[in-house]
Amino acid sequence: MSDWTAFGRVDPDGTVYVKTAAGERAVGSWHAGTPEEGLAHFARRFADLVTEVDLIEARLHRGAGDAAQALTSIRRLRDSLDQAHAVGDFDGLAARLDKLAAVAEEKASAARAAREAARADALARKTALVEEAERIAAESTSWKSAGDRLKEILEEWKSIRGIDRKADGELWKRYAAARDAFARRRGAHFASLDAQRKQAQARKEELLAEAEALADSTDWVTTANRLKELMAEWRAAPRASREVEQRLWERFRAAQDRFFTRRSEVYAARDAELRANLQRREELVAAAEALDVEADPRAAQARLREIQAQWHETGRVPREASAALDRRLRAVEEKVKAAVDSAWRRTEPSANPLLMQMREQVAEAEQRLARARAAGDAKRIREAEEALRAKRQFLELAEQSA
């Protein structure tokens, strides 16, 4: 407004007064021009105050700046109005500043509450991180993941602000102590683990040495059983370090494979030999069973003796087939014997006591051989075969001279 007389006046002596509800107050003097120019000069000073208040009000409404600082500025301006050397609506400006002070006080209180809440939240977050670090230090055995988590806690810790120095320092001491305790416990664990792995390595090297010593054995049954025991002991033993464990295992497995491969080859050759012997015996027993005993008992007896000689030369056969073949051959032997005895009785009305006795001895020798074969006693079989062969030779000589 251009007419400032509503808020001030200039005395003839040049004293400038401002008008307020409390009365007039001298704010300066003016001698450089007309009273109107003097009032306008002091009104511009008042406008500067208004501008400052406008800026504070705008910042408060935008939420920019610190409300507590704004409140301090408002109170400073409010207190300065009674001594301000300006002319204007001081009563209106005072009322405006009082309202702004209430707004600023409310915003400052809210800001303080927010800061306290943020401080409490930051304190709670750091406390939770410290407690987690302490749990890890006391309990965790997942060394890799736990160590990584402690590093993450440190990074998260650095991002949290707003805690007073004393509280922050106390929490940091707890975190550092937890981290150091975890490092000591982890170091002790790996030192113990390293000692255990060295013991495991020594034990597995012992098992390996024995396995490699047995790899070329030909004591198939005993060695196979011991190698199986070594495998069980290997699996029950603790593990060495990964690289050492793999290297030792490859050598241990190679020793086992070498032995069992050789055994398989020997067993395969033996099985092939047994099958060939079995086939030969089957052919011999089939030939024995095909003899025409009734037509010519003596010829059948001679051919059977050839078959018996070849039979004993065939060697071993599979145990499960041996007994059945022996029974079949014995049946032929008994059939031939019965036919020969019958032929002698028909051709010799008066039996020769010596020949009869020798035949009985041959029959007894055949029975002893049958019993030895049934028992599977190699020594008895050999002795019975030799005795039977001798008695048959004597019988043949006696029959030829009869």
Side-chain angles (χ1 to χ4, degrees):
M1 58 184 298
S2 59
D3 183 7
W4 293 98
T5 57
F7 301 107
R9 65 184 181 83
V10 182
D11 268 0
D13 62 359
T15 300
V16 180
Y17 292 91
V18 65
K19 300 176 181 179
T20 66
E24 291 185 339
R25 174 174 61 81
V27 295
S29 61
W30 178 259
H31 302 284
T34 64
E36 289 77 11
E37 292 173 343
L39 288 175
H41 171 74
F42 282 93
R44 286 193 292 273
R45 291 184 177 179
F46 182 80
D48 291 340
L49 293 173
V50 172
T51 298
E52 189 173 356
V53 173
D54 287 343
L55 290 174
I56 294 172
E57 184 178 33
R59 284 197 296 270
L60 279 176
H61 289 327
R62 291 198 308 270
D66 187 350
Q69 291 180 355
L71 179 60
T72 300
S73 299
I74 291 168
R75 287 173 175 171
R76 174 182 56 77
L77 286 171
R78 181 66 178 81
D79 293 341
S80 69
L81 292 183
D82 292 339
Q83 290 83 32
H85 300 289
V87 173
D89 186 6
F90 275 95
D91 292 332
L93 187 57
R96 185 180 175 193
L97 285 171
D98 290 340
K99 290 181 180 179
L100 283 177
V103 173
E105 177 67 36
E106 181 179 355
K107 288 183 177 292
S109 297
R112 283 194 300 274
R115 284 195 298 273
E116 290 299 324
R119 185 177 297 110
D121 179 66
L123 180 62
R125 289 173 61 194
K126 282 198 171 183
T127 300
L129 291 175
V130 167
E131 290 173 350
E132 182 183 355
E134 290 173 337
R135 285 194 301 273
I136 289 173
E139 302 171 5
S140 179
T141 55
S142 300
W143 307 111
K144 177 65 169 63
S145 59
D148 292 342
R149 180 54 187 156
L150 284 175
K151 293 178 183 177
E152 292 171 357
I153 287 175
L154 179 59
E155 294 303 316
E156 190 174 347
W157 178 286
K158 293 177 181 178
S159 69
I160 300 173
R161 301 283 188 273
I163 301 177
D164 64 89
R165 182 175 298 178
K166 180 180 179 181
D168 193 65
E170 291 175 353
L171 289 174
W172 173 255
K173 288 179 182 178
R174 289 173 60 187
Y175 169 79
R179 182 179 59 183
D180 293 344
F182 174 78
R184 287 193 299 272
R185 197 161 61 86
R186 178 176 58 184
H189 166 78
F190 282 108
S192 174
L193 185 61
D194 186 57
Q196 292 175 6
R197 285 175 174 170
K198 288 181 179 178
Q199 292 177 354
Q201 178 178 346
R203 175 57 181 150
K204 290 193 171 177
E205 286 174 346
E206 292 175 359
L207 297 174
L208 171 61
E210 185 175 354
E212 289 181 334
L214 293 172
D216 296 321
S217 171
T218 56
D219 187 354
W220 308 117
V221 176
T222 302
T223 303
N225 291 335
R226 181 53 187 154
L227 286 175
K228 291 176 183 177
E229 291 173 356
L230 290 177
M231 177 67 80
E233 292 176 29
W234 181 284
R235 290 172 175 167
R239 292 179 64 83
S241 64
R242 180 178 300 178
E243 180 180 352
V244 171
E245 181 77 18
Q246 182 64 26
R247 175 171 52 82
L248 294 178
W249 167 252
E250 289 175 358
R251 288 177 56 190
F252 181 80
R253 189 63 182 173
Q256 294 247 347
D257 290 345
R258 186 162 75 249
F259 170 80
F260 285 109
T261 298
R262 290 174 51 248
R263 188 186 69 164
S264 296
E265 292 172 353
V266 170
Y267 280 9
R270 183 181 298 174
D271 290 343
E273 181 182 355
L274 292 178
R275 287 194 298 272
N277 293 345
L278 175 62
Q279 181 178 358
R280 179 56 180 155
R281 283 201 178 182
E282 288 175 341
E283 293 172 353
L284 290 172
V285 77
E289 290 173 338
L291 293 174
D292 190 353
V293 178
E294 299 298 332
D296 189 348
R298 282 185 175 278
Q301 184 182 47
R303 175 59 183 144
L304 177 61
R305 287 170 182 167
E306 294 174 359
I307 290 172
Q308 288 172 329
Q310 294 173 16
W311 181 278
H312 299 309
E313 292 171 358
T314 57
R316 297 174 57 209
V317 298
R319 182 178 301 176
E320 64 274 10
S322 178
L325 291 173
D326 287 342
R327 285 195 299 271
R328 289 172 61 187
L329 184 62
R330 283 197 301 274
V332 175
E333 291 171 349
E334 292 172 359
K335 182 179 178 181
V336 170
K337 179 179 178 298
V340 170
D341 290 345
S342 177
W344 273 103
R345 285 193 296 271
R346 288 196 303 270
T347 59
E348 296 185 23
S350 59
N352 187 328
L354 178 59
L355 289 177
M356 292 179 64
Q357 182 180 5
M358 294 179 68
R359 291 185 189 120
E360 290 175 357
Q361 290 175 353
V362 169
E364 290 175 0
E366 289 174 344
Q367 291 174 1
R368 281 196 297 273
L369 176 58
R371 288 194 295 270
R373 288 173 176 170
D377 189 329
K379 181 178 179 182
R380 286 175 55 194
I381 292 173
R382 187 167 57 254
E383 292 174 349
E385 287 175 344
E386 291 175 357
L388 177 60
R389 187 178 304 108
K391 291 182 182 299
R392 282 176 172 168
Q393 289 176 352
F394 286 128
L395 178 59
E396 288 179 1
L397 292 174
E399 289 175 343
Q400 292 173 3
S401 62

